[in-house]
Amino acid sequence: MEQTNSLEPPVVVAIYKIYFAFFSLSIKFPKMYRYSLAQTIEQHFHLCLQNIFEANCLPCPLREMPLIKANSHCELLKLLIRMTYELALINPTQYFHLSAQLQGIGKMLGGWIKFVRSGIKNN
């Protein structure tokens, strides 16, 4: 059962859900892909979350760089998830579901970056 803290940014909850879904799929990958491609994807989920947590702890004007890094990890995740589909490790339904969720996460991060760039005080 998945539990999340209500104080976490919504983007963290979204990433947790997609990471959980991907992890369930990656267990079924052939060993060769589990210890290369799947492990790389998991690292980028971790790095994305790490950058978001870092941004969330910083004062608003300093949040932009970790958010940009998180967004770049999200973009790379989209590419790597597409590779899992093209290698027939996941089916089209799974691919489109994961891809749509990553698209939503990218929009959340983009909105947060725009908010930080606007200079609106939210501390």
Side-chain angles (χ1 to χ4, degrees), residues 2 4 10-26 41-42 44-45 48-49 74 77-78 81 90 94-106 108:
E2 43 184 273
T4 56
V11 69
V12 170
V13 176
I15 292 171
Y16 174 83
K17 287 179 181 177
I18 187 175
Y19 181 31
F20 190 83
F22 175 78
F23 187 79
S24 300
L25 296 172
S26 70
I41 291 170
E42 288 179 24
H44 284 286
F45 275 120
C48 189
L49 285 168
C74 184
L77 280 167
K78 290 177 193 176
I81 295 292
I90 60 176
Q94 294 164 332
Y95 168 69
F96 290 119
H97 179 70
L98 294 172
S99 182
Q101 286 182 310
L102 283 170
Q103 195 74 18
I105 290 165
M108 285 188 235

